[in-house]
């Protein structure tokens, strides 16, 4: 079996390597000459035997849309394109409608695993027709984590891979996954801050590490926080600026559209916005109002600057 892979960044390159380890030939293309096996999409298609499967791992938005359009002009009926990036689920319908009349299948694949996926495997949430998913199943099997077993030794079905539904379902599932991730990270961050704010706790990294075994809040994210604190116990080497990749916003948009209450995820998204404000206009207004109605003291900019540590 062969797989064409477009986009050999950190995640794409690791995915290509994991698939190769499973005995599947991978032909990779990237705009960077040092990473690629072929020097054009045309050469990529020529190197694959039909029916072809081409996995796209490029930035979401227009880069992905342009790549799908170009591949749609190069591929043949019976071939399949998989978008494994973080595309918005509404783009998937557009891609399927573009490719369908040409007889080219389309699968949207939400992928989680990050830089650790090469060794641990990738959680996969896919959307598309059963026929197209079946064509690509050996690739999904190569990428997903090893099948876990319960205490009696029986395999746990479905762990690490799901055919979530028709086109768009994979990216929608990944969107919700990332929204949940936002809220979990925010909760861990707030807990860390409170531990660090009191004199009572003498070993903050140790407390966080103690939660990784036997507690109800243990998780891989918690393991990663422990790792970060081992490298930088007071997190002094980084700033508190946190970007958002889009899925958190889209999750909240869908919650509003479907009248689903989502206070924790919404708050975690807004907290990221707040992280980018060196001096919050909202809190300026709050301080001004407190001064107006209650005569509460406000801190002038000059005073704030004077009180900053040298």
């Amino acid at each position: 079996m062969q797989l064409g892979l477009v986009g050999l960044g950190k995640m794409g390159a690791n995915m290509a390597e994991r698939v190769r380890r499973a005995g599947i030939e991978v032909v990779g293309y990237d705009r960077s000459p040092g990473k690629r096996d072929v020097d054009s999409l045309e050469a990529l298609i020529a190197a694959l035997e039909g029916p072809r499967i081409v996995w796209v791992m490029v930035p979401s938005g227009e880069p992905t849309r342009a790549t799908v359009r170009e591949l749609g002009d190069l591929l043949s009926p019976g071939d399949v394109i998989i978008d494994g990036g973080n595309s918005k689920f509404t783009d998937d319908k557009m891609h399927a409608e573009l490719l369908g009349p040409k007889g080219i299948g389309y699968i949207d694949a939400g992928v989680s695993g990050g830089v650790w996926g090469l060794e641990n495997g990738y959680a996969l949430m896919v959307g598309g027709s059963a026929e197209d998913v079946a064509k690509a199943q050996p690739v999904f099997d190569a990428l997903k984590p090893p099948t876990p077993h319960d205490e009696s030794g029986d395999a746990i079905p479905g762990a690490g891979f799901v055919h979530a539904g028709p086109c768009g379902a994979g990216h929608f599932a990944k969107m919700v996954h990332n929204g949940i991730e936002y809220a979990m990270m925010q909760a861990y961050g707030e807990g860390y801050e409170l531990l660090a704010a009191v004199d009572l706790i003498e070993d903050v990294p140790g407390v966080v590490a103690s939660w990784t075994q036997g507690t109800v809040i243990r998780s891989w994210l918690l393991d990663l926080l422990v790792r970060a604190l081992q490298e930088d116990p007071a997190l002094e080497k980084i700033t508190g600026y946190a970007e958002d990749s889009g899925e958190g916003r889209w999750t909240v948009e869908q919650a509003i559209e479907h009248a689903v209450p989502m206070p924790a995820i919404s708050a975690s998204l807004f907290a990221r916005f707040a992280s980018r404000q060196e001096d919050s206009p909202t809190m300026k207004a709050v301080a001004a109002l407190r001064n107006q109605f209650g005569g509460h003291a406000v801190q002038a900019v000059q005073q704030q600057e004077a009180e900053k540590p040298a």
Side-chain angles (χ1 to χ4, degrees):
M1 185 176 184
Q2 294 176 304
L3 174 69
L5 204 153
V6 181
L8 299 172
K10 288 182 179 180
M11 198 160 176
N14 282 349
M15 290 171 68
E17 176 59 25
R18 187 171 176 88
V19 172
R20 287 190 178 108
R21 291 179 183 180
I24 297 173
E25 179 186 352
V26 178
V27 181
Y29 169 73
D30 193 275
R31 290 187 300 175
S32 300
K35 298 179 179 181
R36 61 198 186 193
D37 301 312
V38 293
D39 59 8
S40 67
L41 288 180
E42 291 84 355
L44 176 76
I45 302 308
L48 300 173
E49 298 178 2
R52 305 172 184 87
I53 299 174
V54 180
W55 192 303
V56 178
M57 284 298 292
V58 300
S60 61
E62 187 53 32
T64 292
R65 298 184 199 110
T67 302
V68 170
R69 287 195 298 267
E70 188 170 354
L71 287 171
D73 291 334
L74 296 171
L75 292 170
S76 303
D79 294 343
V80 176
I81 294 175
I82 303 172
D83 175 10
N86 285 328
S87 295
K88 192 172 185 178
F89 72 95
T90 50
D91 281 1
D92 297 318
K93 181 180 179 181
M94 176 180 64
H95 291 153
E97 290 176 347
L98 170 71
L99 300 171
K102 301 179 180 183
I104 301 169
Y106 177 79
I107 295 172
D108 56 289
V111 182
S112 182
V115 297
W116 303 91
L118 174 59
E119 299 302 327
N120 299 337
Y122 300 88
L124 303 168
M125 298 142 270
V126 307
S129 71
E131 179 183 0
D132 289 335
V133 172
K135 290 180 182 178
Q137 193 63 54
V139 178
F140 298 141
D141 290 340
L143 287 169
K144 72 182 184 68
T147 302
H149 294 76
D150 60 24
E151 294 179 357
S152 63
D154 295 330
I156 301 175
F161 171 83
V162 63
H163 180 189
C167 180
H171 280 147
F172 193 97
K174 179 58 164 44
M175 175 191 74
V176 176
H177 164 283
N178 281 27
I180 294 170
E181 179 186 292
Y182 275 46
M184 291 176 66
M185 288 192 288
Q186 183 68 22
Y188 286 138
E190 291 174 5
Y192 164 79
E193 181 174 356
L194 181 56
L195 290 172
V198 301
D199 295 332
L200 185 62
I201 302 299
E202 297 179 347
D203 185 1
V204 173
V207 170
V208 176
S210 76
W211 294 341
T212 62
Q213 299 295 324
T215 74
V216 296
I217 64 167
R218 64 189 185 275
S219 73
W220 184 44
L221 280 174
L222 186 62
D223 293 341
L224 295 178
L225 178 56
V226 170
R227 181 186 178 94
L229 291 173
Q230 288 172 342
E231 297 173 354
D232 184 6
L235 300 182
E236 295 173 327
K237 300 176 182 178
I238 58 176
T239 68
Y241 184 102
E243 192 57 83
D244 68 287
S245 57
E247 288 103 338
R249 299 184 188 213
W250 303 337
T251 303
V252 173
E253 289 172 0
Q254 288 301 304
I256 294 170
E257 182 172 336
H258 295 281
V260 174
M262 202 167 273
I265 293 175
S266 299
S268 67
L269 174 64
F270 295 143
R272 295 199 182 190
F273 297 162
S275 78
R276 301 166 206 166
Q277 297 179 327
E278 185 173 344
D279 192 11
S280 167
T282 298
M283 296 316 296
K284 284 185 177 183
V286 169
L289 285 168
R290 293 181 75 247
N291 176 256
Q292 290 295 321
F293 72 71
H296 300 289
V298 294
Q299 188 179 61
V301 173
Q302 295 87 343
Q303 178 185 357
Q304 185 183 50
E305 292 295 326
E307 293 180 357
K308 284 185 177 180

